[in-house]
C-alpha cells in the first residue's frame, strides 16, 4: 500500500474542513488499463470497479485485497447500486444497462430506445424512487478499445431515465455533446450532469451542468455549474453538504454548492471516477487510469449512491 505525499491544493479555507491534511492518498491497486465505475458495498466491505479494456469487474475487499469479480464484463464502465443493494452497470459492449440479481443473473434495464440500439451507456445513478438515470455518449463505439466499433443508431448522445417498475425509458436531456458522469444533490432537487466532449474536441465542453428535477421527473433550468480544467469532468459524487467532487486531470477537484472551487487532491494519474465508501462513508475511492486510489476525508458521502 503505497502512500502518495503532498496530496492537497487549497483554494479556499473551507477545504481544510473537508480534508484530513495528514491523510495521504494511498494506491490500492495498479494493474488496470483504464479504471472507472467505483461502487461501495458496505455490507460486504467491498469496492467494485471496472477495468474497461480488460473486460473485467474487479473487487477490493478491506483486509483481503483485490480479486476478479466478473470476467467477462462486456466492457462495463459506470457502476452504482440500487436501493435494494443490487449492482447496476453500464456495458459498452452490450450497449446496455444491466442489474445483477442476488443469484448473479443479469436483468437488462435498457438496451434500445424506439427500436434503435443505445450508443454505449457510460454512467448511472439510482434515485430514491427506484428510477435509473444514465448517460449514453458514444465513447464505447468509437473504437474497439473500450467496446465494439460501430455507428451510432441514436440521433444523439442523450441522458435517459429508466423506470424498472413500468419498463418505461425516457430521454430527460438531449442537448449534451458527450454526457458522462451524473449525480443528484443530497435532496434530489438537482441533477448534475457532466459534458466531457473536450476529450475528443479541444473546443468541446468540459463542464458540469445543474438541472432542476421536477416532481414529475422532468428536468428544467439547465445551467453551467462549473467548468473543469485541466482535463474533463468524467465521474463525480457529492458529499452530505452538497459539495461536488469530480475528476480534474491528474486530480480530484471539489466545488462548493455555489460552484466555487475549494481545493484539489493530487493523484499521480488521470482520474476518471470517484465514490465515497468505507463503514463511515468518509473514504474516497478514486479510479485513475491504471490504478485504484483511496483517501480519508473529513466529510462523508451523500446517501444517494
Ligand atoms: Mg464516465
Amino acid at each position: 500500500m503505497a502512500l502518495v505525499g503532498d496530496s492537497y491544493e487549497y483554494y479556499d479555507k473551507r477545504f481544510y474542513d473537508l480534508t484530513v491534511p495528514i491523510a495521504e492518498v494511498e494506491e490500492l491497486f495498479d494493474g488496470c488499463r483504464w479504471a472507472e465505475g467505483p461502487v461501495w458495498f458496505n455490507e460486504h466491505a467491498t469496492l467494485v470497479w471496472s477495468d474497461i479494456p480488460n473486460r473485467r469487474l474487479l473487487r477490493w475487499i478491506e483486509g483481503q485485497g483485490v480479486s476478479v469479480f466478473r470476467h467477462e464484463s462486456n466492457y462495463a464502465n459506470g457502476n452504482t447500486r440500487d436501493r435494494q443493494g443490487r449492482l447496476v452497470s453500464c456495458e459498452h459492449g452490450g450497449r446496455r444497462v444491466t442489474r445483477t440479481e442476488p443469484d448473479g443473473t443479469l436483468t437488462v434495464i435498457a438496451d434500445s430506445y424506439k427500436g434503435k440500439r443505445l450508443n454505449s451507456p457510460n454512467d448511472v445513478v439510482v434515485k430514491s424512487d427506484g428510477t435509473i438515470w444514465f448517460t449514453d455518449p458514444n465513447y464505447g463505439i468509437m473504437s474497439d478499445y473500450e467496446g465494439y466499433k460501430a455507428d451510432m443508431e441514436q440521433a444523439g448522445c442523450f441522458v435517459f431515465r429508466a423506470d424498472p417498475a413500468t419498463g418505461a425509458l425516457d430521454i430527460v436531456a438531449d442537448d449534451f455533446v458527450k454526457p458522462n458522469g451524473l449525480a443528484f444533490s443530497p435532496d434530489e432537487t438537482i441533477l448534475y450532469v457532466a459534458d466531457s466532449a473536450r476529450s475528443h474536441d479541444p473546443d468541446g465542453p468540459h463542464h458540469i451542468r445543474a438541472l432542476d428535477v421536477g416532481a414529475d421527473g422532468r428536468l428544467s433550468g439547465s445551467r453551467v455549474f462549473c467548468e473543469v480544467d485541466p482535463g474533463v469532468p468524467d465521474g463525480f459524487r457529492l458529499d452530505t453538504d452538497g459539495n461536488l467532487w469530480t475528476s480534474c486531470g491528474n486530480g480530484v477537484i471539489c466545488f462548493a454548492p455555489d460552484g466555487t472551487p475549494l481545493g484539489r487532491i493530487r493523484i499521480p494519474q488521470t482520474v476518471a471516477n470517484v465514490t465515497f465508501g468505507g463503514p463511515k462513508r468518509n473514504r474516497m475511492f478514486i479510479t485513475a487510469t491504471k490504478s485504484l486510489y483511496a483517501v480519508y476525508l473529513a466529510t462523508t458521502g451523500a446517501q444517494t449512491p
Side-chain angles (χ1 to χ4, degrees):
M1 182 180 292
L3 293 174
V4 181
D6 194 21
S7 295
Y8 305 99
E9 298 169 13
Y10 294 88
Y11 307 149
D12 185 292
K13 280 188 173 178
R14 285 173 283 179
F15 202 51
Y16 286 95
D17 296 329
L18 299 173
T19 53
V20 181
I22 59 169
E24 294 287 358
V25 174
E26 304 164 57
E27 184 181 61
L28 301 179
F29 185 74
D30 70 352
C32 298
R33 280 209 165 86
W34 182 256
E36 294 223 30
V39 55
W40 176 253
F41 293 88
N42 197 48
E43 59 273 49
H44 305 298
T46 296
L47 190 283
V48 172
W49 81 99
S50 298
D51 179 4
I52 304 175
N54 284 324
R55 309 192 323 273
R56 59 184 183 170
L57 292 172
L58 296 170
R59 66 178 155 197
W60 174 86
I61 304 176
E62 190 168 20
Q64 295 185 33
V66 173
S67 58
V68 174
F69 176 68
R70 180 183 299 162
H71 182 281
E72 162 83 49
S73 71
N74 231 346
Y75 295 98
N77 184 339
N79 301 290
T80 192
R81 52 180 290 165
D82 68 10
R83 300 297 163 141
Q84 289 74 44
R86 296 173 294 192
L87 175 67
V88 178
S89 302
C90 296
E91 290 182 9
H92 285 179
R95 298 171 69 165
R96 63 185 187 176
V97 177
T98 66
R99 183 178 65 216
T100 301
E101 306 299 344
D103 65 3
T105 58
L106 298 185
T107 300
V108 177
I109 301 297
D111 61 2
S112 63
Y113 178 74
K114 298 207 167 169
K116 296 179 177 175
R117 299 185 76 187
L118 300 177
N119 298 322
S120 52
N122 187 293
D123 211 345
V124 58
V125 287
V126 179
K127 199 164 175 280
S128 60
D129 63 3
T131 52
I132 296 173
W133 302 56
F134 64 94
T135 55
D136 188 41
N138 61 333
Y139 288 119
I141 56 175
M142 294 174 74
S143 76
D144 283 321
Y145 188 58
E146 292 191 83
Y148 300 98
K149 187 173 170 43
D151 294 329
M152 286 173 57
E153 296 182 22
Q154 298 297 323
C157 298
F158 305 132
V159 183
F160 288 97
R161 179 191 57 226
D163 187 346
T166 64
L169 181 65
D170 296 301
I171 293 172
V172 291
D174 62 1
D175 59 348
F176 286 78
V177 183
K178 290 201 190 313
N180 199 322
L182 72 174
F184 289 100
S185 60
D187 63 5
E188 297 186 335
T189 61
I190 299 172
L191 178 68
Y192 297 94
V193 182
D195 196 328
S196 59
R198 187 163 71 168
S199 64
H200 289 72
D201 174 359
D203 300 319
H206 47 103
H207 59 225
I208 295 173
R209 280 196 243 161
L211 304 100
D212 298 316
V213 182
D216 57 0
R218 290 178 192 271
L219 301 176
S220 63
S222 178
R223 66 269 187 194
V224 173
F225 169 73
C226 65
E227 292 224 313
V228 167
D229 192 59
V232 297
D234 188 331
F236 55 89
R237 287 290 180 261
L238 285 89
D239 65 30
T240 42
D241 295 317
N243 301 302
L244 187 153
W245 302 72
T246 182
S247 63
C248 180
N250 287 16
V252 176
I253 191 168
C254 175
F255 292 94
D258 66 359
T260 304
L262 300 181
R264 189 166 175 269
I265 307 172
R266 297 190 185 105
I267 304 293
Q269 303 177 73
T270 300
V271 173
N273 293 172
V274 305
T275 199
F276 288 90
K280 298 177 181 173
R281 294 185 74 83
N282 65 337
R283 196 175 191 187
M284 176 168 282
F285 292 90
I286 301 151
T287 53
T289 311
K290 293 191 297 183
S291 297
L292 173 69
Y293 296 94
V295 64
Y296 283 99
L297 298 173
T299 184
T300 53
Q303 287 298 307
T304 49

